[in-house]
Amino acid sequence: MVKAGGRVVLLARRKEALDRVVAEITSVGGQVWSYSVDLADANAVTAVAKQITEKLGTPDIIINNAGAGRWLFVDETSPAEAVEMMAVPYFAAFNVTHAFLSAILPSFYSVRNPLL
């Protein structure tokens, strides 16, 4: 994406992981912004989405790729850990999409969209 001139905004919990990806993107000349946020926290995601929209405008593309977990058998996983592993991918995708949806929908419906 960045090689084609796209600007990238990264959201993740761990700043050190974000910093590594930022360095990789900037090393090839890409424009990138990063925000450390718990994507399972709807209020935090909404606040970051507002900052992003005010600074950079409405995203053209959202790629939800958050995930967490360990590869264990069921008998090696506590119920609390299972809930956490499922909550992050689901709520991250929901919260990020929901936070930008009201800004994205007008442009989605204003063009001839083959998905409609």
Side-chain angles (χ1 to χ4, degrees), residues 12-14 27 30 42-44 57-58 68 70 74 78-79 100:
R13 279 188 291 191
R14 295 188 333 263
S27 74
N43 293 329
T58 302
R70 301 182 308 149
V74 172
S78 73
F100 288 107

Side-chain angles (χ1 to χ4, degrees), residues 4 12 24 32 36 38 48 59 69 72 74 77 80 94 103 115-116:
E24 185 178 328
V32 61
S36 180
D38 179 357
V48 166
L72 299 172
V74 172
T77 307
F94 179 87
L115 299 175
L116 300 177

Side-chain angles (χ1 to χ4, degrees), residues 7 17-18 46 48 52 75 82 88:
R7 299 181 305 164
L18 284 167
T46 299
V48 166
I52 292 166
D75 64 338
V88 171

Side-chain angles (χ1 to χ4, degrees), residues 11 39 42 45-46 49 58-59 61-65 89-105:
L11 308 176
L39 297 173
V45 173
T46 299
T58 302
I61 299 170
I62 295 174
I63 298 171
N64 287 306
N65 193 36
Y90 175 80
F91 286 116
F94 179 87
N95 291 337
V96 171
T97 302
H98 189 268
F100 288 107
L101 198 57
S102 64
I104 291 173
L105 282 180

